[in-house]
Every structure is written in C-alpha cells, then in structure tokens.
Amino acid sequence: EADIYQTPRYLVIGTGKKITLECSQTMGHDKMYWYQQDPGMELHLIHYSYGVNSTEKGDLSSESTVSRIRTEHFPLTLESARPSHTSQYLCASSRRREGYQETQYFGPGTRLLVL
Amino acid sequence: ELKVEQNPLFLSMQEGKNYTIYCNYSTTSDRLYWYRQDPGKSLESLFVLLSNGAVKQEGRLMASLDTKARLSTLHITAAVHDLSATYFCAVINYGGSQGNLIFGKGTKLSVKP
C-alpha cells in the first residue's frame, strides 16, 4: 500500500480565499505530481517536480502554485480561490530507476468546493 | 502530441460475462499503466506493461500490450459486482511532458447481477 497522504480530504471555502493543499509521501520518491480531476472525467497534470527545488507546470494551465522544499512534501497553493477551481486534486509520486519513472502512487485526493 | 483514447467510455455488463476495454495511443511509447478508481476514491495501480507482447493477469483482469499497434486491452473474465469502477489507462509521454503520464478518459464499468 502506498504511503502518500493528502490533507484536507474535503474543503469548502468562499471565493477569494487563499488555500494550501498538503501532500506528503514517506516512500522517498523523487518525483511528485499534482493532478486535477473533475467528477467522472480524466486526470489532467497541473504541476510536477523532479526533486527538491524543482517545480514544473503540467499539461493543463492552472492558477495554482507549488513548492518542493523537502523531498517528502509537495504543497499546492491557490492564492485566490474561484468557483472554477472546484474539483478533485490528486497528488502522486514515483521513483526514478534506470532512466524511467516507475509506477505513480496516488494519494486519497482533496475534494475542493469554492462557493 | 500524445493522445490516449479508451473505449468504451461506459460499459454495463452482467455478472458472469466477459468483456474487453481498449486503449489506443497515438505515438510511440513503451510503458503503459492501468489504474482502477472507485467512486469518490483515488487511483489504484493495477498493471504496468513494459514491453511489446507483455501480458499480466490478476484475478479476473488480464492486460496486454501491443506496442506496434499502439494498443492495450484490459480483459474482464466472468465479471463480478466488485469489479464495478472506472478504469484508466495511461501512457508514458517521452515528449513534451518529460516522461509524465497521459491518461485516457476512463471506462466506467458497471457490473449488474
């Protein structure tokens, strides 16, 4: 079973609030990811990181930002939440081995509702 | 640009029946993943297929990969209700996404008694 954690699991906030979604993994994985998934839809990569002090934007444009100060921690921040940010946010991590990334393990997700 | 297409997107089947979910991708890749997602839950890794002709089986699910045809299949044998979930295939993109995964839209499977 994967050791990757996300908090909060559910969040309801008002428009304009700043929020941070937490993601931690205890597997020592170097690469971490944030995906956005609307109910019943596909996953879209919004951010990823190769390791400490590395952050990259994914395939889907996002108004969120991320940081990677510690290997195990990859928080995602929305400076000013809007209703269009309502979605599920999934964090994942993987290990690099022999030139490729191994299987991604996913956290339980954060369901965000912005009113 | 790598695209991943799954079909069908919705599948309603009776217990005891067999069926196959298809995953096509548009550019060369040698690594394909299948994930399962239960409603309101996160993704669980099912299979990793690493080479042409790879076949993996777990219980009533069997996955295969044909890299020449750019096709993977997920075969369900004698379906049971517990298999009801959404199944995603994902392909490694060595191009613009730096080795990240590109996911299909998912196949929502409903197994009815």
Side-chain angles (χ1 to χ4, degrees):
Chain A
E1 190 169 320
D3 296 321
I4 180 164
Y5 309 98
Q6 290 184 242
T7 57
R9 295 290 310 281
Y10 305 91
L11 181 60
V12 182
I13 60 167
T15 297
K17 299 291 186 184
K18 176 180 179 179
I19 59 167
T20 296
L21 308 184
E22 302 286 351
C23 176
S24 295
Q25 51 94 8
T26 59
M27 297 173 283
H29 286 173
D30 50 345
K31 199 166 180 183
M32 295 187 74
Y33 315 77
W34 276 103
Y35 291 89
Q36 185 174 342
Q37 183 188 29
D38 292 327
M41 303 296 286
E42 68 264 47
L43 281 74
H44 292 289
L45 180 67
I46 51 175
H47 296 284
Y48 61 101
S49 166
Y50 289 107
V52 171
N53 293 327
S54 155
T55 61
E56 305 285 344
K57 289 189 180 296
D59 303 316
L60 181 69
S61 176
S62 173
E63 294 165 343
S64 58
T65 58
V66 292
S67 63
R68 189 91 181 272
I69 299 173
R70 304 197 314 265
T71 298
E72 62 272 19
H73 193 214
F74 191 40
L76 181 145
T77 298
L78 279 167
E79 290 292 333
S80 179
R82 295 208 304 266
S84 60
H85 296 138
T86 295
S87 189
Q88 173 164 249
Y89 293 84
L90 292 167
C91 180
S93 70
S94 65
R95 187 195 314 272
R96 185 172 183 82
R97 175 177 292 181
E98 296 177 355
Y100 68 91
Q101 294 294 138
E102 293 185 337
T103 300
Q104 289 185 26
Y105 293 95
F106 284 80
T110 295
R111 287 184 175 271
L112 173 64
L113 173 61
V114 184
L115 302 175
Chain B
E1 180 187 349
L2 175 60
K3 293 188 186 299
V4 180
E5 291 187 358
Q6 287 183 236
N7 71 85
L9 297 182
F10 299 92
L11 178 56
S12 179
M13 52 191 300
Q14 283 188 308
E15 281 191 330
K17 299 292 188 183
N18 303 333
Y19 210 85
T20 300
I21 299 170
Y22 297 89
C23 175
N24 289 92
Y25 53 97
S26 59
T27 63
T28 301
S29 181
D30 60 359
R31 205 164 305 275
L32 189 140
Y33 301 79
W34 283 98
Y35 287 88
R36 168 181 172 147
Q37 185 178 35
D38 291 303
K41 304 288 187 181
S42 188
L43 274 73
E44 172 192 355
S45 176
L46 293 175
F47 301 109
V48 181
L49 302 169
L50 302 177
S51 61
N52 188 41
V55 177
K56 290 198 174 178
Q57 183 163 4
E58 180 76 31
R60 300 174 188 274
L61 299 177
M62 184 174 71
S64 65
L65 177 62
D66 181 344
T67 57
K68 293 180 181 177
R70 299 175 187 162
L71 170 69
S72 179
T73 61
L74 181 65
H75 187 72
I76 303 154
T77 302
V80 293
H81 179 69
D82 285 351
L83 290 179
S84 297
T86 298
Y87 293 86
F88 290 94
C89 66
V91 177
I92 284 278
N93 181 12
Y94 291 107
S97 293
Q98 303 290 330
N100 295 321
L101 290 179
I102 305 295
F103 283 82
K105 293 184 184 293
T107 296
K108 187 171 183 179
L109 171 65
S110 175
V111 181
K112 301 183 185 306

